Amino acid sequence: MNTPLIDPFARAIRYLRVSVTDRCDFRCVYCMSESMTFLPKKDLLTLEELDRMCSTFIRLGVKKLRITGGEPLVRRDIMTFFRAMTQHLDTGDLDEMTLTTNGSQLAKYADDLFAAGVRRVNVSLDTLNDDKFARITRWGRLPQVLRGIEAAQKAGLRVKINTVALKGFNEDELFTLTDWCARHNMDLTFIEVMPMGDIGNEDRIGQYWSLKDLQAQLATRFTVADLPDNTGGPARYVRLKETGQRIGFITPLSHNFCESCNRVRITCTGEIYTCLGQDGHADLRAPLRSSESDATLENAIRAAIALKPKGHDFDYSRQTVDGRVNRHMNHTGG
């Protein structure tokens, strides 16, 4: 039962992204509608069930675990789960546990996260302008996030900034964000906006800023050198010679990264999505709850991996939003 998880395209599944909640204290315009309806508590996996789910995947060969949401740090008693995962880091069965966060709660939890074995966090931040930040997040406050980033670095956490490239919104901050990250010794990754969920009046085509164009703009000021780095995620990286910093690009639209996909996602309700850009999924909550033995759960995991598709179908090339998936980003996890 402990043979590695291999999908139909001979890709070993080593990377698990787990959403621990669909709730968030922000309402980012590319992620959620402003008036979200969240799941009832009974539908969510308990912290103990999340522990058992992740432990099973680790036993089956997963080496990297990323905790996502919603905003994972708003879940009550979430540090109980992080501390439970520490044992797998201590034994060497898990190489790394990381976190994706909006940064709002980092000032409160940074020291606890480091104590639990987290060494890297990704902070979603699309602008350094107070007014624009309030507009893009609807509910967020930039100073709170900046204090969280400072606390994370003080605690010893390596911080990477994730920025969604939004045409007409943060194009004018390309060099501002780059310089700010360089001054604070943080890597920076840009992400193309993806066609996920019904977000009301937001225009996906109008938001789309190709990272090919973004990189070309960087090259007008910096010497940009490609890097072979692979962190197990979808990003490709360059080095800016003048600052020495690493810049990542996640390009599901302009440069499909599916051929090397080694990851799956678990929602906070126990659904497994083997592709972010496809609606196909399987229920792992029922087999998890049906037996105290993990055999039923393991069989369900293997059955889901056996159906992992080759890739997604996101496409803006014809000026229409093709390949759209209906669920919001906070449902699947970042």
Side-chain angles (χ1 to χ4, degrees):
M1 292 295 289
N2 291 341
T3 54
L5 297 172
I6 307 293
D7 78 1
F9 303 94
R11 298 172 297 198
I13 305 305
R14 302 294 191 193
Y15 183 1
L16 178 65
R17 301 176 69 106
V18 179
S19 173
V20 296
T21 181
D22 66 328
R23 296 177 182 272
C24 187
D25 47 354
F26 293 174
R27 296 289 184 275
C28 295
V29 299
Y30 50 77
C31 181
M32 298 188 195
S33 63
E34 188 166 6
S35 300
M36 288 294 296
T37 300
F38 294 109
L39 296 164
K41 184 177 179 180
K42 64 180 178 61
D43 290 348
L44 273 61
L45 296 181
T46 67
L47 295 176
E48 292 78 14
E49 288 172 334
L50 284 166
D51 179 353
R52 185 178 165 200
M53 179 79 74
C54 293
S55 296
T56 300
F57 271 94
I58 292 166
R59 188 166 62 251
L60 296 177
V62 161
K63 303 298 287 184
K64 180 176 178 178
L65 179 64
R66 178 170 292 279
I67 311 305
T68 71
E71 169 48 48
L73 297 181
V74 302
R75 175 145 186 187
R76 186 176 180 181
D77 296 328
I78 189 58
M79 288 312 305
T80 302
F81 169 71
F82 278 99
R83 287 189 287 268
M85 292 298 99
T86 305
Q87 63 175 317
H88 302 299
L89 294 168
D90 291 342
T91 62
D93 293 329
L94 185 65
D95 289 343
E96 185 178 36
M97 175 169 57
T98 61
L99 168 73
T100 293
T101 174
N102 64 26
S104 67
Q105 305 300 313
L106 274 178
K108 179 179 179 181
Y109 289 112
D111 289 330
D112 290 338
L113 288 166
F114 189 88
V118 176
R119 294 295 178 265
R120 293 193 304 120
V121 296
N122 289 355
V123 178
S124 300
L125 181 63
D126 303 319
T127 177
L128 292 171
N129 178 284
D130 284 339
D131 292 338
K132 288 166 67 175
F133 185 86
R135 189 162 80 247
I136 196 74
T137 64
R138 294 193 181 103
W139 292 10
R141 294 177 176 84
L142 181 60
Q144 181 180 357
V145 173
L146 297 181
R147 287 194 298 271
I149 291 170
E150 182 181 2
Q153 291 188 306
K154 191 173 295 185
L157 297 169
R158 178 73 181 172
V159 176
K160 179 169 74 71
I161 301 299
N162 284 347
T163 297
V164 177
L166 296 165
K167 191 172 185 178
F169 177 77
N170 54 11
E171 286 174 290
D172 61 339
E173 293 188 76
L174 172 60
F175 296 119
T176 302
L177 284 161
T178 303
D179 292 343
W180 178 73
C181 286
R183 289 197 307 272
H184 291 86
N185 192 29
M186 295 184 291
D187 288 336
L188 171 61
T189 291
F190 291 101
I191 306 169
E192 288 176 338
V193 66
M194 288 178 268
M196 297 189 69
D198 180 3
I199 52 167
N201 296 325
E202 298 298 329
D203 175 16
R204 291 299 196 197
I205 297 296
Q207 289 177 330
Y208 174 55
W209 177 16
S210 169
L211 295 193
K212 287 182 179 179
D213 296 340
L214 186 153
Q215 184 171 344
Q217 288 186 42
L218 278 177
T220 66
R221 177 171 156 186
F222 298 105
T223 305
V224 181
D226 289 332
L227 291 175
D229 300 17
N230 185 349
T231 62
R236 57 187 177 85
Y237 294 93
V238 301
R239 180 84 66 193
L240 303 186
K241 180 179 179 181
E242 288 77 5
T243 65
Q245 74 193 113
R246 192 173 68 163
I247 303 291
F249 302 97
I250 297 179
T251 52
L253 286 306
S254 63
H255 180 271
N256 192 293
F257 47 69
C258 300
E259 67 276 358
S260 60
C261 181
N262 66 346
R263 70 204 69 89
V264 295
R265 289 169 168 82
I266 303 295
T267 71
C268 54
T269 58
E271 295 170 320
I272 179 172
Y273 283 86
T274 54
C275 177
L276 178 64
Q278 300 280 1
D279 278 322
H281 63 279
D283 175 33
L284 297 182
R285 184 179 61 189
L288 175 74
R289 292 179 174 178
S290 67
S291 173
E292 293 184 4
S293 167
D294 289 334
T296 303
L297 175 60
E298 290 179 2
N299 288 334
I301 291 171
R302 292 188 184 280
I305 299 301
L307 298 176
K308 182 173 170 64
K310 189 173 184 178
H312 63 68
D313 300 315
F314 293 154
D315 185 11
Y316 288 157
S317 62
R318 292 178 292 277
Q319 293 301 298
T320 60
V321 184
D322 290 341
R324 180 194 290 275
V325 293
N326 293 322
R327 66 189 184 277
H328 289 89
M329 197 71 175
N330 69 303
H331 179 77
T332 314

